[in-house]
Amino acid sequence: MDTTTPVRLYDPAFNADPQGFYRKMRAAHGPVVPVLMDGDIPAWLVIGYRELHRVLGDSDTFARDPRRWNSWEKVPPDWPLLPVLAPLPNLLSAEGEDHRRRTRAVNDAINGADPHELRTLISRIADRLIDGFCGAGEADLRSRYSERIPALVLCRMFGLDDATGDAVTSDMNTVFNAGADAVAAHGRIVAVFTGLIAARRAEPGPDIVSRMITHAVGYGDEDLNAELIAILGGGHQTTGEWIGNALRSMLTDDRFGASLFGARSSAREALVEVLWEDSPSQMNAGRFAAHDVELGGNLIREGDLLLLGYAAANNDPRLRAEAPETGHGVNHAHLSFSHGEHSCPHAARGLAETMAVTAIEVLLDRLPDIELSVPADEVRWRPSPWVRGVVALPVTFTPATPQGVL
């Protein structure tokens, strides 16, 4: 068996059946896999739960600053993955005390929103979106609902209008699909946030951007722009796919069928299960070896890039053998929110859960007889190496009268 040839992550089979692809990787390479990203640029993909837990928990050995990478000379200026790997002045690239300061600023800015007002905002946006399709008796829940709620909520919290929020959402999808237009889409997002920051410096408001401008961390415009992109990218993409993947499970898995008829507690169970079985955080870039180190039987050289295989690690058969109940009920030991110093900020995690639970509960209250309108095996997945989500989620239901929510 060949244990040395790197695996090409842009193989179409990867997006078609990632868990099947991971099984083949484990059989050939074990828990740490040599891979080639787009353009045959090398990296290591960590797919073992224990190995990934170690990487995430040891930020001194497996550092976060992309400037440590030893392969920058191989990267072309139009590389599709550049927006998710380029060093930026935000909490994703920061290390040590700089990272801790930025994390406090993000937590404080998000927590500055009144929890009651936030839940009311999410419910009103959900109702307004449902009003847009409830009379038709059919809809694509992804494009009309699950992908839009987090972006609209976050853009409102930033102080943007819905039309601008939709445009930014579209561009963020392009960035995470890692296609030929990713770099241009990232530039358009930067331009929108540049204008927003200037407007909030001139006239502050009760929003995240204004709170971050006045925070003691002392953001400059470039730093703040990069921070807002990190918040939106992490909060919108993963939360939207979390909602969509949970709805897919509830529409195709008999264990959650009761939730469609009023047993709303099953919505939370489905959301937890999705974080194990179909994590919206498929893979993340990344960590960079601060010095030569052994991991999973491989010598990782200083400056090597490690990709974080959250979805693969959550389904590590060694973990399931040691704890067969893992992945069911309310077990939260999954790595979908990452782990350690660079895990998802506490406030952002709470916001994502509030958005996801509220979105599903409002939908099921409004359209309790909703059903998938195509066979489950015809639901296709996005062609993204970073996030796991459906391309479309077509459903039917009894037409309902709009509530006229503004």
Side-chain angles (χ1 to χ4, degrees):
M1 182 178 295
D2 185 357
T3 61
T4 59
T5 302
V7 176
R8 284 179 165 80
L9 291 183
Y10 49 88
D11 186 324
F14 177 72
N15 285 320
D17 180 20
Q19 292 302 335
F21 215 64
Y22 293 140
R23 284 193 292 271
K24 293 178 181 178
M25 287 184 183
R26 287 192 182 95
H29 299 279
V32 180
V33 184
V35 297
L36 294 175
M37 299 180 290
D38 187 274
D40 283 351
I41 295 175
W44 298 94
L45 174 59
V46 186
I47 62 175
Y49 183 93
R50 285 179 291 188
E51 290 75 16
L52 184 54
H53 197 276
R54 175 188 170 191
V55 169
L56 296 173
D58 185 357
S59 56
D60 290 332
T61 301
F62 303 101
R64 186 61 188 91
D65 191 338
R67 290 175 296 182
R68 296 177 180 268
W69 194 17
N70 57 21
S71 292
W72 277 116
E73 73 280 359
K74 302 175 184 178
V75 175
D78 59 348
W79 193 45
L81 301 182
L82 192 60
V84 295
L85 267 168
L88 295 170
N90 61 22
L91 80 170
L92 297 180
S93 297
E95 297 179 356
E97 180 56 29
D98 184 33
H99 175 265
R100 289 186 285 273
R101 289 171 59 249
R102 291 173 181 275
T103 301
R104 284 195 297 271
V106 170
N107 279 325
D108 290 346
I110 294 175
N111 284 332
D114 179 84
H116 175 72
E117 291 181 1
L118 180 59
R119 284 190 292 271
T120 300
L121 171 64
I122 298 168
S123 295
R124 288 179 65 84
I125 288 175
D127 275 323
R128 182 164 57 80
L129 290 176
I130 294 169
D131 274 1
F133 59 77
C134 66
E138 61 180 9
D140 169 16
L141 285 185
R142 183 183 191 279
S143 64
R144 300 295 298 272
Y145 193 69
S146 65
E147 79 159 354
R148 295 193 65 200
I149 284 182
L152 290 174
V153 170
L154 283 167
C155 285
R156 285 283 191 92
M157 293 178 75
F158 283 2
L160 290 171
D161 60 61
D162 289 350
T164 305
D166 278 339
V168 170
T169 299
S170 176
D171 281 332
M172 193 63 77
N173 281 335
T174 300
V175 169
F176 275 82
N177 282 336
D181 298 330
V183 173
H186 181 267
R188 289 192 293 270
I189 298 172
V190 169
V192 169
F193 286 163
T194 297
L196 175 62
I197 292 167
R200 288 298 171 270
R201 286 198 186 277
E203 186 176 349
D207 52 70
I208 284 178
V209 179
S210 297
R211 288 192 288 271
M212 294 183 75
I213 286 173
T214 58
H215 196 277
V217 73
Y219 281 110
D221 286 0
E222 183 182 1
D223 288 34
L224 181 53
N225 201 310
E227 209 78 277
L228 293 176
I229 290 175
I231 295 170
L232 182 62
H236 159 236
Q237 286 287 311
T238 53
T239 307
E241 304 305 5
W242 191 16
I243 296 168
N245 292 357
L247 287 171
R248 172 188 170 276
S249 291
M250 296 171 77
L251 292 165
T252 59
D253 191 327
D254 291 340
R255 289 176 301 149
F256 302 118
S259 65
L260 300 179
F261 300 96
R264 291 172 21 167
S265 63
S266 293
R268 291 183 181 271
E269 295 176 7
L271 284 165
V272 173
E273 173 112 348
V274 159
L275 292 176
W276 282 103
E277 303 296 338
D278 276 317
S279 173
S281 299
Q282 176 89 2
M283 189 190 311
N284 186 264
R287 297 293 185 272
F288 305 87
H291 53 75
D292 291 359
V293 62
E294 185 277 335
L295 182 70
N298 297 278
L299 175 60
I300 311 299
R301 295 291 188 182
E302 179 179 351
D304 280 1
L305 166 63
L306 295 100
L307 301 176
L308 313 175
Y310 298 127
N314 287 341
N315 286 275
D316 187 340
R318 296 176 302 169
L319 176 66
R320 301 304 175 92
E322 295 166 2
E325 76 283 357
T326 296
H328 300 284
V330 292
N331 190 314
H332 290 272
H334 57 77
L335 297 175
S336 294
F337 286 117
S338 194
H339 167 72
E341 182 178 357
H342 283 271
S343 62
C344 179
H346 179 75
R349 188 179 310 189
L351 174 59
E353 184 173 1
T354 300
M355 286 193 287
V357 171
T358 304
I360 292 177
E361 289 182 348
V362 171
L363 180 70
L364 299 184
D365 282 347
R366 294 280 305 272
L367 306 173
D369 64 346
I370 198 164
E371 294 182 350
L372 196 64
S373 61
V374 298
D377 60 5
E378 291 186 11
V379 177
R380 298 289 179 257
W381 297 97
R382 283 178 65 183
S384 172
W386 310 112
V387 293
R388 174 77 165 166
V390 297
V391 172
L393 195 63
V395 297
T396 57
F397 46 84
T398 301
T401 303
Q403 293 184 349
V405 177
L406 297 178

